[in-house]
Amino acid sequence: MRDHRHGENAPHAHPDVWTGRATNRVQWLLALIGAACMALGIELAVDSAWTSGIVPLVMAVVGCIAAGLLVLFGTLAFVHVALRVDEQHLEVRCGHMGLPRRRIPLSDVAGATYISHVTPRHWGGWGYRWRPEKGTAVVVRRGEGVVLELWDGHTFTITVDDAEAAVQVIKARLGRTKPGAAAH
């Protein structure tokens, strides 16, 4: 199999497997803030001189560690998104662990559209988003993206670099799939 690397596609040549990704470096700053909250909670637990009692100390320690974990792992999950398109499926993986992940059979896709400007503001923030009037999206940064129109009437938007090439590959493969056919 051949993988796509940004800028390697010749016009009208579609690789067996197309891969693309988008990254948000600002998320690393937020992850650092989460790690700092966790460190503060640990510092409070280890070296505490609180005189007001154990309950306020426990609440502060648990609060700092919980907030730190939430921010740290919540942001690391959406530092980047990877899109993979093969002959039968489109797969979206988020973060370093690849979670959350969504795999969509191309037989479920009615069409694909390039969009030049997706912003977190349109979707209510970064991450895996759902809005009743817009559909579902994975937004890790502002910029270009792919909008999939699914046969069930829903849409799925992904921010990814070289989104125009992704749309071309998806459209080329859609001509070979039948609507609603089960893919193996």
Side-chain angles (χ1 to χ4, degrees), residues 1 14-18 84-90 103-107 169-170 172-174 176-177 183-184:
M1 283 193 219
H14 299 294
D16 296 334
V17 176
W18 186 94
R84 182 178 189 275
V85 181
D86 63 26
E87 293 294 327
Q88 297 178 342
H89 297 92
L90 178 138
R103 188 174 181 151
I104 302 171
L106 289 176
S107 59
V169 169
I170 293 166
R173 293 206 164 87
L174 289 181
R176 298 183 226 154
T177 60
H184 297 96

Side-chain angles (χ1 to χ4, degrees), residues 123-165:
W123 288 95
W126 285 306
Y128 202 101
R129 299 296 180 170
W130 175 75
R131 292 188 57 192
E133 72 280 4
K134 295 184 75 119
T136 306
V138 176
V139 180
V140 297
R141 55 108 172 109
R142 185 179 354 177
E144 64 183 322
V146 175
V147 178
L148 299 174
E149 298 91 26
L150 306 176
W151 286 109
D152 65 5
H154 295 101
T155 62
F156 188 70
T157 303
I158 309 114
T159 55
V160 65
D161 294 336
D162 204 12
E164 281 185 287

Side-chain angles (χ1 to χ4, degrees), residues 67-143:
L69 283 172
L70 182 63
V71 171
L72 180 64
F73 290 113
T75 56
L76 287 180
F78 295 102
V79 166
H80 69 263
V81 63
L83 174 63
R84 182 178 189 275
V85 181
D86 63 26
E87 293 294 327
Q88 297 178 342
H89 297 92
L90 178 138
E91 185 175 65
V92 178
R93 292 176 170 226
C94 301
H96 297 290
M97 292 178 36
L99 298 172
R101 176 186 329 184
R102 181 159 181 196
R103 188 174 181 151
I104 302 171
L106 289 176
S107 59
D108 291 352
V109 178
T113 306
Y114 168 79
I115 185 167
S116 63
H117 193 66
V118 178
T119 68
R121 188 177 349 154
H122 292 141
W123 288 95
W126 285 306
Y128 202 101
R129 299 296 180 170
W130 175 75
R131 292 188 57 192
E133 72 280 4
K134 295 184 75 119
T136 306
V138 176
V139 180
V140 297
R141 55 108 172 109
R142 185 179 354 177

